[in-house]
Amino acid sequence: MHADRFFQSTRGRIVEELRRRGSASAADLAASFNLSPNAVRQQLIVLERDGLVVERSVRRGPTKPTLEFSLTPLADRYFPQAYDRMLSAVLRELREQHGPEAVERLFDGIAERTLAKVRERITGDDTHERAAQLGDVLREQGVSATVNLIEGGVELREHHCPYSEVAKENPEVCSVIHRVIDETIGEHAQTESIATGGRECRFEVRTASAVAAP
């Protein structure tokens, strides 16, 4: 999901408020947004499931402990980062000085090194198992990813992309995940892309039996 769309949602506003405050309880956030604490808790449950917030028990004076929520490092991906702009500037300079082929070679090398590490983790016997293992790897790298069974294959969904801003100007960035999917799970088709305005990135991989079917 693009950051601007995300911050228009209630969950996005909660993330933005937690960024400003550092931490807050559901009641604190409810007061800020004129919502009920229960409504805020429902949003916090989703944010916690997605790995964007964590809760901890905090004692405020002599009263019983209060649950406070704060952002995880994963939430930083929704905020503009100086290194995004720097990386875009470096790639722009490389393209202007040495041509688009130089950028392609750069990401070919990154894909090779990524595959060398990922192949050790992708050992499943079937398409769904390998996709699930790749999903685990992506989540460890800070990408909110899910894998679903679909008719004739599997679907890998990235709910946000840490490189989306850079990829808008440099689509070669996306070549890394394309190669990783092709060479660890199977040839795929991308049905949605954050870099081109989609809400998330979706990749479909058909099982061997589905491909072989007439």
Side-chain angles (χ1 to χ4, degrees):
M1 181 184 294
H2 282 302
D4 53 353
R5 293 181 189 168
F6 177 69
F7 287 120
Q8 291 171 10
S9 68
T10 301
R11 286 196 292 276
R13 291 164 59 207
I14 289 172
V15 167
E16 200 164 27
E17 184 70 6
L18 288 174
R19 173 88 163 192
R20 186 181 69 82
R21 287 173 174 252
S23 64
S25 68
D28 295 333
L29 295 167
S32 296
F33 301 125
N34 196 27
L35 296 171
S36 71
N38 281 339
V40 170
R41 287 190 191 96
Q42 291 302 312
Q43 301 298 325
L44 288 166
I45 288 171
V46 176
L47 290 170
E48 191 168 21
R49 180 203 66 193
D50 291 343
L52 298 177
V53 304
V54 292
E55 65 178 27
R56 64 188 179 116
S57 181
V58 176
R59 187 173 294 279
R60 298 178 175 181
T63 60
K64 66 179 183 179
T66 299
L67 282 180
E68 286 193 354
F69 297 84
S70 58
L71 299 181
T72 68
L74 183 59
D76 289 341
R77 302 296 188 182
Y78 285 95
F79 296 90
Q81 303 289 329
Y83 56 74
D84 285 346
R85 294 189 291 273
M86 176 60 74
L87 178 56
S88 291
V90 169
L91 293 174
R92 192 180 308 120
E93 188 69 16
L94 179 63
R95 192 186 307 276
E96 291 176 358
Q97 293 290 332
H98 302 285
E101 297 82 5
V103 179
E104 292 174 5
R105 287 195 299 271
L106 173 67
F107 283 101
D108 281 344
I110 293 173
E112 288 290 346
R113 288 188 291 275
T114 301
L115 279 164
K117 296 178 181 179
V118 170
R119 283 193 181 102
E120 300 175 356
R121 301 280 305 277
I122 312 299
T123 59
D125 294 327
D126 58 48
T127 302
H128 182 248
E129 187 177 358
R130 292 195 300 274
Q133 290 168 339
L134 179 56
D136 290 339
V137 172
L138 291 172
R139 284 188 290 273
E140 289 171 9
Q141 296 175 349
V143 177
S144 178
T146 56
V147 174
N148 303 306
L149 283 171
I150 59 173
E151 184 176 358
V154 296
E155 179 186 60
L156 173 66
R157 299 169 65 181
E158 292 182 342
H159 305 294
H160 87 285
C161 174
Y163 316 110
S164 59
E165 292 304 312
V166 179
K168 289 177 184 177
E169 184 179 345
N170 304 278
E172 297 89 351
V173 171
C174 302
S175 66
V176 177
I177 187 62
H178 288 307
R179 277 197 61 188
V180 168
I181 294 173
D182 280 347
E183 297 190 26
T184 61
I185 304 175
E187 290 189 11
H188 74 283
Q190 184 166 11
T191 59
E192 188 172 358
S193 170
I194 296 172
T196 57
R199 294 175 61 86
E200 58 189 0
C201 289
R202 294 182 180 226
F203 310 93
E204 292 185 2
V205 182
R206 301 186 71 195
T207 60
S209 58
V211 172

